[in-house]
Amino acid sequence: MEFIQYVRLFRKWLWLIILAAFLAGGVSFIVRTGQPSTYNAETMLAIGRYIEAPNPNSADIRTGIDLAQTYAELVKTYDVLQGTIDNLDLPLTPERLRNNIDVRIRSNTSLLVISVTWTDPVLAADIANGLAEQLIARSPTNLTEDQQRQLALANAQIESLNEQLAEQREQLAAINRQLENATEADEITRLTAQRNVILDQINTATATIADFSATIATLQQRTNALDIVERARIPTTPSGSSVLSATVLGALVGATLAGGLALFIEYIDDRVRSSEQVAELLNLPVLGSIARFGKRRASYPERLITHPTVPATIAESYRAIRTNLLFLAGEDNRKIYVFTSPGPVEGKSTTVANIAVSLAQAGMRVLVIDADLRRPVQHQIFSLENRVGLTTLLLADPTRSRVAAGSGGAHDTAADNPDLKQYIQETTIPNLKVITSGFIPANPTEILGSALMVRWLEAFNQSPNIDIVLIDTPPALVVADSVVLAGTVKAEVILILDAAKTRRVGALRAKEQFEQIGIEPKGAILNRVNPRDEDYGYGYGYGYYYQTPDQNPAATSPNGYR
């Protein structure tokens, strides 16, 4: 799909996108304003104390990371939740509290984050800290009684030894001063001996302190230990999205869903919506496209381009079809065209009538034949009688009628021959004659494919007073009438499609119906086109040129040019 097609699609469904964005944004605004503000507080815990070791063991690090996932699940257990509720005296159930808790693990670490969302910021922080405390209380973090006694003894011994070391260092300093002032050999010997004894005591005390410190480090450095690294603080701003951001997000989501729905509808919609699609699908020239016009319940005469309610742009579209049809004929002597459509109610008969009117307005002598012997409507379009028509005409002999004579024409014959006048009826439009269907026969296909039908059409084709013959036939996929008639008289076939109804497979099958008998349709006409589906370019400016100076003073320049 080209870029321009996306633009056209966007313009076509813009109303749905805007409506969906408005509705989704409105719902988001109402929902968000109806919700109380929530606050988020977080407590961070560390599993294991390997971080305190100068050279942490990789096995301890891996164990701490693995244990983090287990503790993340334990946070939401009943005992931890109920213990927090009891300590804080919360009027909640464990199930409700669980729904407001989120536990996550920092990637590739043994850091556990407990997040609590609540409408009260103080309570959010208290609950987060309370959950951490309850988790620690129910974990093997605390030392046993023997370990606690051992740790207390080691700390007491270290404290006592540190005091002893302080005294011994003072004694050593005093002896060093005496040695500096001593002059006698006996005194120097005595002081040196005392100094050595004190040094031995200091070294022994230092070694003992190191042993006790190692014991303490061993007791404190445990892999399966929980410690609060960062306590939850009272949040000052609400969490989550604001009313504005929630509204904008809702509108964007609604617009996106509407856009996706539009693409899905276009994907499953296999109707021929534009002239471009018809040309690509059927490989036929598109003689023109007609936009929707008139009311849905408008009568047939109200759909003629001669009716005052029909927009001038529609008449111009039919004039364009007239030009293309005549250009398509070129120097060919053929002037008989069979019009058909794939299915019923696709605007075929109205299109034939308006093309005939457009040709007649250009000064051409046009004969319309209603060969739809199943549901004829041409007599209704032109307000004519249908007591006699094509079916009764076929009972007459064309060789005895002056319609085939060079000295006269069909119109003169209708005036001079009372029998033929009742078949070829005058309309209110100059140069336009109509042969209605007549009575509905039991075998329409056989009648249209009869030799007598061929002889009459040859007579009309050779008449110098008939410039062009337009034949309205039934839908090609419903009955075989149009295929039989076109194959019998070797007429040019024009397919009429409805942009609001004709399916692609139907259009292809209709074309194949004629190709199977060796007839290639000469072109196609597209009805009820949505202007957004067409690359009209300047088409929307038609109305400007079809307004009188009184309706649009700007349509006439000061110098009188238009």
Side-chain angles (χ1 to χ4, degrees):
M1 187 179 289
E2 298 179 357
F3 176 75
I4 189 63
Q5 292 175 310
Y6 283 108
V7 173
R8 189 187 309 151
L9 183 64
F10 175 77
R11 290 172 54 191
K12 176 181 177 181
W13 293 100
L14 181 60
W15 66 272
L16 178 63
I17 295 174
I18 294 176
L19 178 62
F22 177 78
L23 292 177
V27 171
S28 299
F29 174 80
I30 294 173
V31 172
R32 185 64 185 87
T33 52
Q35 293 177 344
S37 299
T38 58
Y39 298 85
N40 184 263
E42 294 182 348
T43 298
M44 184 182 296
L45 297 92
I47 293 94
R49 292 177 177 170
Y50 56 84
I51 195 66
E52 299 175 359
N55 298 306
N57 190 324
S58 60
D60 292 340
I61 296 174
R62 184 72 258 173
T63 303
I65 295 175
D66 294 340
L67 285 172
Q69 186 62 48
T70 302
Y71 281 113
E73 297 298 326
L74 292 175
V75 173
K76 295 186 177 183
T77 58
Y78 179 86
D79 291 339
V80 174
L81 295 174
Q82 189 62 51
T84 304
I85 292 172
D86 295 339
N87 286 345
L88 298 177
D89 195 20
L90 300 175
L92 302 173
T93 61
E95 289 74 17
R96 183 183 174 189
L97 180 58
R98 184 183 293 113
N99 295 332
N100 291 273
I101 297 173
D102 179 57
V103 184
R104 66 181 186 275
I105 302 170
R106 292 289 177 87
S107 179
N108 296 324
T109 70
S110 60
L111 297 177
L112 188 69
V113 179
I114 301 175
S115 177
V116 177
T117 302
W118 209 260
T119 55
D120 186 345
V122 177
L123 194 57
D126 291 342
I127 292 175
N129 292 326
L131 288 170
E133 294 168 356
Q134 287 295 315
L135 185 63
I136 292 174
R138 286 168 170 76
S139 65
T141 297
N142 298 326
L143 299 174
T144 63
E145 293 183 359
D146 291 339
Q147 290 173 332
Q148 290 177 355
R149 285 194 297 269
Q150 186 179 0
L151 184 61
L153 177 61
N155 287 325
Q157 291 295 327
I158 289 175
E159 183 179 358
S160 175
L161 289 172
N162 283 329
E163 294 176 356
Q164 179 181 337
L165 278 174
E167 295 177 356
Q168 291 171 347
R169 288 192 178 98
E170 290 178 358
Q171 294 175 4
L172 181 61
I175 292 174
N176 288 333
R177 286 193 298 270
Q178 292 177 9
L179 280 172
E180 292 176 359
N181 297 326
T183 57
E184 296 180 359
D186 294 340
E187 185 178 3
I188 292 174
T189 302
R190 181 180 61 80
L191 292 173
T192 300
Q194 292 179 355
R195 182 176 180 274
N196 292 334
V197 171
I198 294 175
L199 286 174
D200 290 339
Q201 293 176 349
I202 290 175
N203 291 333
T204 302
T206 302
T208 304
I209 290 174
D211 292 338
F212 281 121
S213 298
T215 301
I216 293 173
T218 302
L219 291 173
Q220 290 182 339
Q221 186 177 343
R222 289 156 293 134
T223 301
N224 191 9
L226 281 176
D227 293 292
I228 296 178
V229 177
E230 183 179 9
R231 296 184 66 84
R233 295 185 297 273
I234 298 175
T236 57
T237 57
S239 62
S241 59
S242 63
V243 175
L244 177 60
S245 60
T247 303
V248 172
L249 179 61
L252 290 175
V253 171
T256 302
L257 292 177
L261 178 62
L263 288 174
F264 177 74
I265 292 175
E266 289 293 328
Y267 177 76
I268 64 174
D269 187 3
D270 64 342
R271 292 175 292 180
V272 285
R273 307 305 297 268
S274 66
S275 300
E276 181 182 0
Q277 292 180 0
V278 174
E280 292 178 356
L281 178 69
L282 301 180
N283 195 24
L284 293 176
V286 180
L287 304 181
S289 58
I290 309 299
R292 299 189 189 99
F293 70 95
K295 298 179 180 179
R296 179 173 297 181
R297 298 185 179 276
S299 63
Y300 284 114
E302 291 176 341
R303 295 185 179 276
L304 280 177
I305 57 176
T306 55
H307 197 273
T309 61
V310 176
T313 54
I314 300 301
E316 185 61 30
S317 298
Y318 280 108
R319 294 188 189 101
I321 295 175
R322 175 189 69 193
T323 302
N324 293 330
L325 186 63
L326 295 178
F327 179 80
L328 190 67
E331 300 295 333
D332 195 353
N333 291 327
R334 292 184 179 275
K335 53 186 177 183
I336 300 177
Y337 291 90
V338 170
F339 290 83
T340 186
S341 61
V345 196
E346 295 186 6
K348 165 182 57 64
S349 298
T350 303
T351 301
V352 172
N354 279 323
I355 293 175
V357 172
S358 181
L359 289 167
Q361 289 176 339
M364 299 187 67
R365 291 161 295 185
V366 184
L367 176 62
V368 175
I369 300 177
D370 192 350
D372 189 344
L373 302 183
R374 300 173 187 271
R375 288 190 175 183
V377 296
Q378 291 296 337
H379 64 284
Q380 299 180 31
I381 295 176
F382 293 103
S383 302
L384 301 174
E385 295 289 339
N386 195 29
R387 292 192 302 270
V388 295
L390 178 61
T391 50
T392 50
L393 176 65
L394 294 178
L395 300 177
D397 188 354
T399 58
R400 297 181 180 180
S401 174
R402 291 175 57 193
V403 73
S407 59
H411 308 316
D412 296 335
T413 303
D416 300 337
N417 190 335
D419 294 332
L420 192 57
K421 183 178 181 181
Q422 61 182 334
Y423 303 126
I424 303 178
Q425 300 186 53
E426 300 278 349
T427 66
T428 57
I429 298 148
N431 299 321
L432 178 56
K433 303 287 190 293
V434 176
I435 298 179
T436 61
S437 65
F439 67 89
I440 304 299
N443 55 344
T445 305
E446 289 75 8
I447 290 177
L448 294 177
S450 65
L452 201 56
M453 183 70 182
V454 175
R455 292 167 61 188
W456 269 113
L457 288 178
E458 287 178 350
F460 292 137
N461 191 34
Q462 295 171 6
S463 174
N465 293 322
I466 298 178
D467 297 323
I468 190 169
V469 179
L470 308 182
I471 306 177
D472 182 11
T473 63
L477 298 183
V478 177
V479 292
D481 296 10
S482 58
V483 178
V484 170
L485 178 59
T488 301
V489 303
K490 304 302 180 182
E492 306 289 7
V493 176
I494 305 297
L495 289 178
I496 298 178
L497 311 177
D498 187 346
K501 188 174 182 179
T502 305
R503 304 291 179 181
R504 298 183 184 183
V505 63
L508 283 172
R509 286 179 57 194
K511 180 187 177 185
E512 291 171 356
Q513 292 272 29
F514 293 98
E515 290 177 338
Q516 289 174 358
I517 62 172
I519 296 178
E520 178 75 16
K522 300 298 290 185
I525 298 172
L526 190 59
N527 271 329
R528 288 199 288 182
V529 177
N530 188 335
R532 298 175 187 171
D533 294 329
E534 291 284 305
D535 291 328
Y536 278 151
Y538 300 103
Y540 294 104
Y542 280 156
Y544 178 89
Y545 291 100
Y546 287 96
Q547 292 177 344
T548 63
D550 294 337
Q551 294 172 319
N552 184 4
T556 303
S557 62
N559 57 14
Y561 290 102
R562 294 174 59 82

